[in-house]
């Protein structure tokens, strides 16, 4: 029976063991070869076909075939019970259970329980469901980026702690401490005590920066309609379209104050002396939490994981600043960066459509803090704000300014798609595509041709080509002229579907890059083995250099492509 | 002595003149014989074309018309005729529409003439095909284009069929009519229709115009109207083709001016071009606005709303103006994530699967890309 969750009486529930990173024997076994980790933050949306393929490929590379098979099953079929997974994958129960444990450990799967109405003369049942978190799986390929951000901001020691969390998915502070001590073994006991301080300090810095957070509830329980209290009913009324998965994620997510509450976890996290411990504050006491609000069990430590949301936010800021710097100028980039820095604490969601309103003085002061912004004056800052789309009144009294981030993101997305159209087709196609992206309704061929200065026949050819490749939507409308019935073709750019298609292509391209890289490495290894001893000196060195540069190109292209995937999916 | 010599000379000249006249007469006789069509139901007949080197056009014979209107027709049985033009046998041709077929004098029975030319397209000067019909056989004569007949006054004393065709064309006003529609509406036999059209064109009442959308089809418009934009394609079209050179010139000039002036409105740019006579060809303010919008689509310039201050001084607040972007827009196009890898612009991406016929491990695009 599940020890950790009072609601779970399901014999198929995999939580027969307390979920803790290194406690489960099989998890420990698997983790010994698992390189990375991650957490669930976002709601599961319809995943594109190649998005699934890429996720399965990543899981297969990191955790092996059995885990990837279970993961693929969940990704393709949606939320399933253990029994269903068993049926679909045809794996043994032990294998599936272990695979699910690994996936949960690495934040790739979220479990939740739900009440199922009983059949004839049967009682209601509580069933545990498992859902794959596609976004979190994909985040695994971004770990080098996350590490670089932490390393840039906090240096080596913080990076070590952070790396541990990436590798193991979820760790308690004690485990982090042990890991650190293990790594720096030859230390005296005196040094040891200072090590504890160093780890605590660095850990606190990571939490302060919101780079890490407490794990969400492992198995939140979704109440049935009758069991819901008034508040829950009100909430449900507000979001009538919320899917089960969305509800589960919302329930699993901790309150903002809880996610980053750190003091007591450090003092109270000894695993065996907390059975009688009374919470000293509300935050401290939340070691054991209701499954609805998300928590770990009393007899377990508080687990920490990487906060992907924060990294996504940082990367979003970086992307927007880069775009603005390229599109307008470096000063606009500095001003926007200052705005982000000044409003970091006030951002509530990742996909903020507008920046937090700030006064000119605040923006100016923040800009002055950076080296590049030191030479700026107020006029230049206000000029940049205008360039960024703010309207500056002639007489400003307590005026605050916000930047439309959505517009910038949209622009960056359009630019990416347009560059594809330009390279794949022609400049004329690019002009036509841009024209249609500005048109709200259907446009006939003549209008497109005259507005873009493309010969009518040529325009028609381009339009057909774009339509064939799913870049455009086409409709035929018969018009009754005086003499004859003619059929006119009307065109439209459906941004939502085209953007989805482009994102799918990006996932596809990323998968191809990964596969080609693996192939090249494999080929090089085989080649080197064959050539061992046969060639040496300069020739061998030249070969090695060539391979290295090939891998670098593939790797860096992958990172750039990943930025584009984030631009279309996460920002 | 001088007188004798003069007399001798005069006699010689007289004899020479007579000889020349005789020769000329003989040659005329022989040529006249040669230009006659042999109608002995031969499969291939040859006619001698009076003169080579000039544009040769068919003459439409209208059997319905009374004599005097167009060339006279003749009747008879005629199979395919091919004509060849030996350059050595040249003869000044008689007036085009008055030439009488010598065969008619021989009592042959030809009912009409039909020249199969694809809707008045230029005819090869030395080969014309006649189509025979067992009951209705047509024929025609090729002859060189001479100075056209004096233009008849518009509408004055036009034959009925021509007036009918003209009225149909006129009814379309500035929208030209396609030849097939015209034929359908006129309901005239093909040769008559062709002749009417030809005459109307020759008399300048009707003109042929290129249609921008249907380049292969002939369109006619009344001379009283100018073809509509639908037909010509608008101001940016010349002879049914997009005037790309003019567009390029205007684009480049506009960019240069915008770079110089920093911020412009469409009227501002038009005034500048007009005042400084930057472009030799006349252009309208509407054209300048269109060029500016196309430049925005090209991402060469950006459109912004005037704030009324700084660079926008003097431009009403909220008015759309155009400026060059500060950053490098071209760079951002080249630096797209997808365009820098083979898969991003791959035409086979939909067919590419791991382990498939087209796969990333066997991909030639990759091999080429990674070939340092
Ligand atoms: S791997 Fe090659 S064939 Fe496949 S999508 Fe990429 S470029 Fe095209």
């Amino acid at each position: 029976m599940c020890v950790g969750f009072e609601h779970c009486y399901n014999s198929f529930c995999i939580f027969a063991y307390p979920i803790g990173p290194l406690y489960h024997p099989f998890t420990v076994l698997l983790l010994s070869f698992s390189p990375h980790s991650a957490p669930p933050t976002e709601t599961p949306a319809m995943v594109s076909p190649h998005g699934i393929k890429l996720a399965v490929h990543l899981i297969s590379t990191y955790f092996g075939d059995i885990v990837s098979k279970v993961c693929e099953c969940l990704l393709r079929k949606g939320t399933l019970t253990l029994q269903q997974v068993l049926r679909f994958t045809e794996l043994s129960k032990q294998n599936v259970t272990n695979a699910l444990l690994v996936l949960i450990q690495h934040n790739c799967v979220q479990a939740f329980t739900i009440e199922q109405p009983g059949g004839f003369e049967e009682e209601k049942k509580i069933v545990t469901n498992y859902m794959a978190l596609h976004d979190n799986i994909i985040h695994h390929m971004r770990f080098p980026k996350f590490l670089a951000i932490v390393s840039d901001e906090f240096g080596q020691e913080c990076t070590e702690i952070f790396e541990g969390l990436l590798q193991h998915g979820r760790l308690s502070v004690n485990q982090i401490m042990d890991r650190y001590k293990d790594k720096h073994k030859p230390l005296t006991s005196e040094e040891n005590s200072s090590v504890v301080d160093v780890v605590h300090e660095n850990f606190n810095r990571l939490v302060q920066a919101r780079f890490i957070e407490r794990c969400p509830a492992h198995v939140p329980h979704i109440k049935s309609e009758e069991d819901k209290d008034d508040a829950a009913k009100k909430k449900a009324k507000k979001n009538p379209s919320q899917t089960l998965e969305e509800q589960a994620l919302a329930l699993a997510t901790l309150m903002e104050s809880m996610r980053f509450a750190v003091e007591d976890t450090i003092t109270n996290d000894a695993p065996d002396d907390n059975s009688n411990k009374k919470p000293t504050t509300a935050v401290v006491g939340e070691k054991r939490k209701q499954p609805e609000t998300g928590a770990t069990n009393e007899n377990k430590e508080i687990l920490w994981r990487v906060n992907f949301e924060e990294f996504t936010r940082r990367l979003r800021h970086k992307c927007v600043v880069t775009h603005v710097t390229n599109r307008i100028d470096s000063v606009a980039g500095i001003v926007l960066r200052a705005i982000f820095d000044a409003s970091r604490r006030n951002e509530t969601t990742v996909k903020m459509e507008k920046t937090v309103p700030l006064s000119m003085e605040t923006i100016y002061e923040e800009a002055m803090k950076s080296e590049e912004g030191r030479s700026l004056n107020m006029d230049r800052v206000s000029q940049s704000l205008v360039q960024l789309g703010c309207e500056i009144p002639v007489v400003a009294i307590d005026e605050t300014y916000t930047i439309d981030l959505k517009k910038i993101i949209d622009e960056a997305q359009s630019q990416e798609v347009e560059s594809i159209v330009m390279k794949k087709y022609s400049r004329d196609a690019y002009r036509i595509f841009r024209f249609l992206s500005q048109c709200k309704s259907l446009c006939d061929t003549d209008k497109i041709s005259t507005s873009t200065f493309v010969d009518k026949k040529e325009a028609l050819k381009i339009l057909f080509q774009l339509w064939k490749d799913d870049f455009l939507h086409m409709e035929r409308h018969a018009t009754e002229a005086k003499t004859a019935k003619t059929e006119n073709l009307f065109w439209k750019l459906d941004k939502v579907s085209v953007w989805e298609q482009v994102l799918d292509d990006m996932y596809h391209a990323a998968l191809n890059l990964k596969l080609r890289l693996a192939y090249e490495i494999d080929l090089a290894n085989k080649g080197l083995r064959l050539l061992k001893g046969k060639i040496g000196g300069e020739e061998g060195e030249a070969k090695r250099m060539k391979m290295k540069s090939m891998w670098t190109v593939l790797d860096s292209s992958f990172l750039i492509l990943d930025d584009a995937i984030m631009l279309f999916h996460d920002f | 002595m001088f007188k004798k010599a003069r007399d001798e000379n005069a006699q010689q000249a007289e004899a020479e003149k007579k000889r020349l006249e005789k020769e000329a007469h003989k040659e005329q006789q022989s040529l006249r014989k040669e230009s006659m069509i042999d109608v002995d139901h031969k499969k291939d007949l040859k006619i001698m074309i009076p003169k080579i080197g000039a544009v040769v056009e068919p003459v439409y014979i209208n059997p319905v018309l009374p004599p005097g209107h167009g060339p006279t027709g003749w009747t008879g049985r005629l199979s395919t005729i091919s004509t060849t033009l030996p350059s050595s046998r040249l003869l000044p041709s008689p007036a085009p529409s008055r030439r009488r077929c010598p065969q008619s004098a021989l009592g042959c029975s030809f009912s009409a003439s039909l020249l199969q030319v694809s809707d008045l397209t230029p005819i090869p000067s030395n080969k014309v095909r006649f189509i025979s019909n067992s009951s209705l056989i047509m024929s025609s004569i090729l002859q060189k284009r001479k100075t056209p007949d004096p233009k008849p006054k518009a509408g004055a004393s036009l034959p009925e069929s021509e007036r009918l065709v003209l009225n149909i064309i006129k009814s379309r006003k500035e929208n030209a009519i396609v030849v097939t529609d015209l034929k359908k509406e006129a309901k005239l036999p093909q040769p008559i229709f062709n002749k009417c059209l030809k005459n109307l064109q020759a008399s300048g009442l009707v003109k042929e115009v290129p249609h921008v959308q249907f380049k292969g089809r002939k369109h006619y418009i009344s001379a009283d109207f100018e073809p509509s934009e639908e037909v010509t394609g608008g101001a940016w079209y010349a002879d049914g083709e997009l005037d790309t050179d003019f567009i390029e010139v205007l684009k480049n000039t506009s960019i240069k001016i915008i770079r110089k002036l920093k911020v412009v409105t469409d009227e501002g740019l038009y005034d500048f071009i007009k005042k400084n006579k930057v472009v030799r060809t006349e252009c309208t303010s509407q054209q300048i606005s269109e060029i500016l919008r196309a430049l925005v689509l090209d991402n060469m310039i950006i459109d912004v709303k005037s704030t009324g201050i700084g660079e926008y001084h003097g431009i009403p607040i909220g008015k759309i103006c155009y400026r060059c972007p500060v950053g490098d827009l071209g760079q951002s196009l080249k630096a797209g994530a997808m365009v820098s890898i083979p898969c991003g612009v791959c035409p086979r991406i939909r067919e590419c699967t791991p382990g498939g016929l087209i796969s990333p491990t066997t991909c030639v695009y990759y091999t080429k890309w990674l070939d340092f």
Side-chain angles (χ1 to χ4, degrees), chain B residues 231-293:
Chain B
V231 177
T232 60
W236 301 106
Y237 282 78
D239 300 328
E241 298 286 339
L242 191 69
D243 196 350
T244 42
D245 291 344
F246 179 50
I247 293 166
E248 270 316 295
V249 167
L250 262 190
K251 271 188 180 177
N252 292 338
T253 315
S254 304
I255 292 250
K256 274 182 204 151
I257 297 169
I258 295 169
R259 271 197 203 122
K260 203 172 158 222
L261 300 178
K262 299 256 165 30
V263 180
V264 293
T265 58
D266 38 9
E267 295 113 21
L269 182 64
Y270 175 65
D271 290 343
F272 187 92
I273 288 176
K274 228 172 119 186
K275 211 161 91 189
N276 297 291
K277 295 197 173 60
V278 196
V279 186
R280 264 185 233 148
T281 332
E282 267 299 300
C283 60
T284 62
S285 67
Q286 165 79 9
Q287 279 180 308
I288 294 295
S289 304
E290 284 172 21
I291 280 284
L292 282 171
R293 279 199 291 275

Side-chain angles (χ1 to χ4, degrees), chain A residues 508-509 512-513 516, chain B residues 341-353 358-366:
Chain A
H508 192 171
N512 285 352
L513 269 173
R516 184 72 188 209
Chain B
I341 53 170
C343 303
V345 288
C346 175
R348 318 299 290 269
I349 190 160
R350 303 273 185 277
E351 297 138 59
C352 178
T353 46
I358 302 172
S359 84
T361 45
T362 55
C363 172
V364 282
Y365 300 115
Y366 261 106

Side-chain angles (χ1 to χ4, degrees), chain A residues 85-204:
Chain A
V85 178
L86 283 171
R87 198 169 65 236
F88 289 130
T89 55
E90 294 176 351
L91 290 170
S92 72
K93 188 179 174 189
Q94 185 65 33
N95 274 344
V96 173
T97 311
N98 290 334
L100 284 172
L101 278 170
V102 173
L103 289 167
I104 290 169
Q105 170 72 29
H106 287 270
N107 309 297
C108 301
V109 162
Q110 173 72 49
F112 63 93
T113 54
I114 187 161
E115 209 168 65
Q116 241 181 23
F120 179 66
E121 285 188 357
E122 265 184 28
E123 292 241 321
K124 284 179 189 170
K125 268 196 293 187
I126 289 174
V127 185
T128 311
N129 284 282
Y130 304 92
M131 64 166 160
L133 302 166
H134 178 261
D135 291 358
N136 287 351
I137 300 169
I138 295 293
H139 278 317
H140 278 66
M141 66 188 195
R142 299 176 184 137
F143 285 174
K145 278 187 198 166
F146 300 166
L147 260 180
I149 293 174
V150 174
S151 158
D152 280 355
E153 203 154 316
F154 296 128
Q156 182 56 27
E157 275 166 349
C158 278
T159 314
E160 275 178 24
I161 297 175
F162 186 76
E163 207 177 349
L165 281 167
L166 287 180
Q167 277 178 4
H168 297 286
R170 301 171 172 203
L171 289 177
S172 71
V173 178
N174 277 346
Q175 285 157 351
I176 292 170
M177 194 76 78
D178 291 345
R179 231 185 132 260
Y180 192 87
K181 279 179 192 166
D182 247 23
K183 222 175 177 186
H184 304 268
K185 253 180 187 163
L187 290 173
T188 59
S189 60
E190 228 175 77
E191 280 168 327
N192 241 336
S193 65
S194 74
V195 161
V196 174
D197 291 342
V198 168
V199 171
H200 283 177
E201 194 190 317
N202 287 327
F203 181 84
N204 279 347

Side-chain angles (χ1 to χ4, degrees), chain A residues 327 415 431 434 483 505 516, chain B residues 172 296-298 332 360:
Chain A
R327 178 83 189 180
Q415 204 173 286
R431 213 180 304 126
R434 272 176 64 85
T483 48
D505 284 349
R516 184 72 188 209
Chain B
R172 291 297 169 97
V296 173
L297 290 180
D298 267 329
S332 57

Side-chain angles (χ1 to χ4, degrees), chain A residues 25 94 139 411 482 493 496:
Chain A
Q94 185 65 33
H139 278 317
E411 211 175 74
K482 265 184 216 164
L493 170 65
V496 178

